[in-house]
């Protein structure tokens, strides 16, 4: 089946690229067509594989026949398949390879694994997650921060504590990642997409038009999830001023925006809730993880309870709303068990400490690459 996939895909890939070139569709259309054919091929192979009576790869018998995979540093060849040198700049590693965890984080993770205290509320241990929450408060300027198992979970809970109810409509970027509308769906709401500018940010004019249209229909929209996709920043003053004017609650998806500032202030600070990601493709890498940040003590207490703070575990927090606030909300807030683990938090903490140095390095690399392709007509480099 693998040989069939290889023989089936390669000629079709070449054919699709040739079609796209002749028809002027461009690389994006060719990629979409190729991926569609890949999915069809894989789907067909899966059906044929199961019909043949072969053992699925997930079966214990098949797993015993498979070699163990060992993670290695991916490299990129400096030569083409025919042995010729590649023209122009080359990469000596995959550009999607995340930064390694600093030595301090690796050592702390080993200590935690030796102790067995990976749960953030392990009795008798000062939680790494609680310490990471305090670090995020110090770095971002928010009063409260709650660690989650993913930024998607934090966004979902951000909508819940903001008051989103099943059937509500939530404005969101048309250009975004699937986790964003999925968080809206998770909350039982319906996304209403706002168009993007040529810089891949939310269009303030279309946002106003969407709000006007909903108002004219007699069903005004009261929630906005604003995403900074790939760290590109919209006209924040106009968008937040418009939200305040219309009584719209803003939850900011800052998954890609930790360390990015608007007028000298961390993105997300004007929102009721801002959520930051520590998934491997982000500026902080813990594999998976996220932080819910707010200045509102009741929102923070409810987020803690949704994440999985029960009974009087709030006494173990480093930065936390008063106990009276927890006692007021915890009996009306379900526990969804979305906590960050202390193992992830151990990876996070040293990266918050050195984030400014890494941001400077990332910006330098970005400038170096974009300066080399700025005059190439096939590339469109969006503005900051």
């Amino acid at each position: 089946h693998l040989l069939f996939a290889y023989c089936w895909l390669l000629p079709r890939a070449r054919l699709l690229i040739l079609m796209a070139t002749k028809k002027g569709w461009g690389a994006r259309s060719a990629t979409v067509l190729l991926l569609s054919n890949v999915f069809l091929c894989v789907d067909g192979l899966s059906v044929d594989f199961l019909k043949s009576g072969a053992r699925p790869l997930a079966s214990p018998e098949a797993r015993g026949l498979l070699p163990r995979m060992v993670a290695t540093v991916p490299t990129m060849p400096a030569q083409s398949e025919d042995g010729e040198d590649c023209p122009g700049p080359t990469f000596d590693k995959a550009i999607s390879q995340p930064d390694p965890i600093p030595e301090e984080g690796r050592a702390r993770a080993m200590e935690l694994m030796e102790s067995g205290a990976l749960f953030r509320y392990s009795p008798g241990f000062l939680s790494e997650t609680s310490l990471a929450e305090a670090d995020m408060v110090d770095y971002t300027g928010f009063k409260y921060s709650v660690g989650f198992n993913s930024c998607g979970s934090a966004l979902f809970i951000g909508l819940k504590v903001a008051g989103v109810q099943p059937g509500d409509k939530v404005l969101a970027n048309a250009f975004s990642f699937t986790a964003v509308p999925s968080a809206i769906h998770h909350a039982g709401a319906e996304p209403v997409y706002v168009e993007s500018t040529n810089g891949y940010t939310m269009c303030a004019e279309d946002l106003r038009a969407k709000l006007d249209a909903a108002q004219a229909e007699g069903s005004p929209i009261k929630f906005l999830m604003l995403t900074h996709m790939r760290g590109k920043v919209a006209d924040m003053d106009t968008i937040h001023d418009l939200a305040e004017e219309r009584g719209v609650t803003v939850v900011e998806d800052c998954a890609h925006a930790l360390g990015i500032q608007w007028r000298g202030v961390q993105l997300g600070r004007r929102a009721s809730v801002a959520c930051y990601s520590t998934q491997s493709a982000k500026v902080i890498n813990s594999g998976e993880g996220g932080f819910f940040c707010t200045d509102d003590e009741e929102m923070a207490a409810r987020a803690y309870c949704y994440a999985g703070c029960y009974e009087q575990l709030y006494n173990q927090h480093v930065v936390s709303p008063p106990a009276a606030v927890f006692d007021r909300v915890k009996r009306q807030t379900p526990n969804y068990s979305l906590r960050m683990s202390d193992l992830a938090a151990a990876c996070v903490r040293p990266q918050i400490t050195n984030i400014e140095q890494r941001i400077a390095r990332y910006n330098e690399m970005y400038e170096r690459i974009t300066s080399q392709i700025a005059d190439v007509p096939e590339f469109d480099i969006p503005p900051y």
Side-chain angles (χ1 to χ4, degrees):
H1 283 92
L2 290 175
L3 179 62
F4 174 77
Y6 181 83
C7 296
W8 192 94
L9 284 174
L10 280 183
R12 280 160 178 77
R14 296 191 182 100
L15 176 61
L16 289 169
I17 293 170
L18 180 63
M19 289 170 55
T21 303
K22 287 186 175 182
K23 292 180 178 292
W25 290 345
R28 180 177 299 178
S29 297
T31 302
V32 170
L33 282 170
L34 178 57
L35 287 175
S36 299
N37 279 267
V38 169
F39 294 147
L40 287 172
C41 173
V42 171
D43 184 62
L45 282 175
S46 299
V47 173
D48 292 341
F49 184 73
L50 293 175
K51 284 181 178 178
S52 70
R55 288 168 294 188
L57 292 180
S59 70
E61 298 89 347
R63 286 202 301 271
L65 301 175
L66 294 175
R68 291 288 298 273
M69 299 301 293
V70 178
T72 58
V73 177
T75 59
M76 301 295 287
Q79 292 183 327
S80 61
E81 291 181 359
D82 56 11
E84 296 182 1
D85 291 339
C86 294
T90 60
F91 297 97
D92 60 5
K93 69 173 186 178
I95 60 175
S96 60
Q97 180 185 339
D99 283 343
I101 306 303
E103 174 58 33
E104 179 186 346
R106 299 198 298 271
R108 182 60 182 140
M110 287 299 298
E111 292 173 354
L112 288 172
M113 287 189 284
E114 289 170 359
S115 72
L118 307 183
F119 180 46
R120 71 160 298 171
Y121 294 121
S122 296
F125 289 85
L126 178 59
S127 167
E128 288 293 314
T129 302
S130 291
L131 291 169
E133 290 165 348
D135 292 341
M136 282 292 291
V137 164
D138 290 340
Y139 183 76
T140 62
F142 283 96
K143 290 183 180 179
Y144 305 108
S145 174
V146 184
F148 277 84
N149 59 4
S150 73
C151 188
S153 294
L155 290 170
F156 160 53
I157 297 305
L159 295 171
K160 295 285 287 184
V161 303
V164 171
Q165 298 295 317
D168 284 345
K169 293 184 177 181
V170 179
L171 292 152
N173 296 56
F175 175 59
S176 180
F177 182 62
T178 56
V180 181
S182 295
I184 297 172
H185 180 269
H186 197 179
E190 176 186 346
V192 176
Y193 297 111
V194 181
E195 286 297 340
S196 295
T197 66
N198 289 336
Y200 308 111
T201 63
M202 180 175 285
C203 175
E205 293 181 5
D206 192 54
L207 174 62
R208 183 182 295 275
K210 293 289 194 306
L211 288 168
D212 288 342
Q215 183 74 40
E217 293 173 359
S219 54
I221 300 176
K222 292 300 181 184
F223 301 98
L224 166 65
M225 181 171 281
L226 174 61
T227 294
H228 308 296
M229 189 65 172
R230 301 292 184 247
K232 301 300 180 183
V233 186
D235 182 349
M236 298 300 290
D237 291 337
T238 299
I239 288 177
H240 273 288
D241 289 347
L242 181 58
E244 290 174 8
E245 171 191 322
R246 301 297 183 88
V248 173
T249 299
V250 180
V251 174
E252 267 187 56
D253 168 27
C254 297
H256 298 185
L258 185 61
I260 299 177
Q261 298 182 346
W262 175 263
R263 303 194 187 283
V265 178
Q266 167 64 54
L267 280 178
R269 289 296 288 116
R270 283 189 68 178
S272 296
V273 174
C275 300
Y276 303 87
S277 177
T278 65
Q279 185 266 346
S280 289
K282 311 304 188 298
V283 71
I284 289 181
N285 171 22
S286 68
E288 289 285 0
F291 289 93
F292 166 113
C293 296
T294 186
D295 289 333
D296 186 286
E297 63 181 19
E298 183 164 315
M299 284 185 166
R302 292 182 63 205
Y304 268 119
C305 292
Y306 274 123
C309 176
Y310 52 91
E311 297 169 354
Q312 293 185 327
L313 292 177
Y314 50 75
N315 290 323
Q316 298 185 34
H317 299 161
V318 174
V319 178
S320 185
V325 181
F326 279 98
D327 292 339
R328 186 168 69 241
V329 304
K330 67 182 182 181
R331 289 178 176 82
Q332 290 78 42
T333 308
N335 172 355
Y336 290 157
S337 294
L338 304 173
R339 294 171 293 264
M340 176 179 282
S341 83
D342 270 13
L343 197 58
C347 298
V348 165
R349 295 195 63 218
Q351 296 178 73
I352 298 176
T353 303
N354 68 15
I355 190 171
E356 291 298 325
Q357 299 96 300
R358 290 186 294 110
I359 287 172
R361 181 166 62 87
Y362 299 153
N363 286 338
E364 188 276 327
M365 290 190 295
Y366 179 87
E367 294 292 346
R368 179 152 39 94
I369 291 174
T370 55
S371 67
Q372 295 182 65
I373 62 175
D375 297 328
V376 180
E378 288 80 10
F379 286 103
D380 174 41
I381 303 173
Y384 277 45

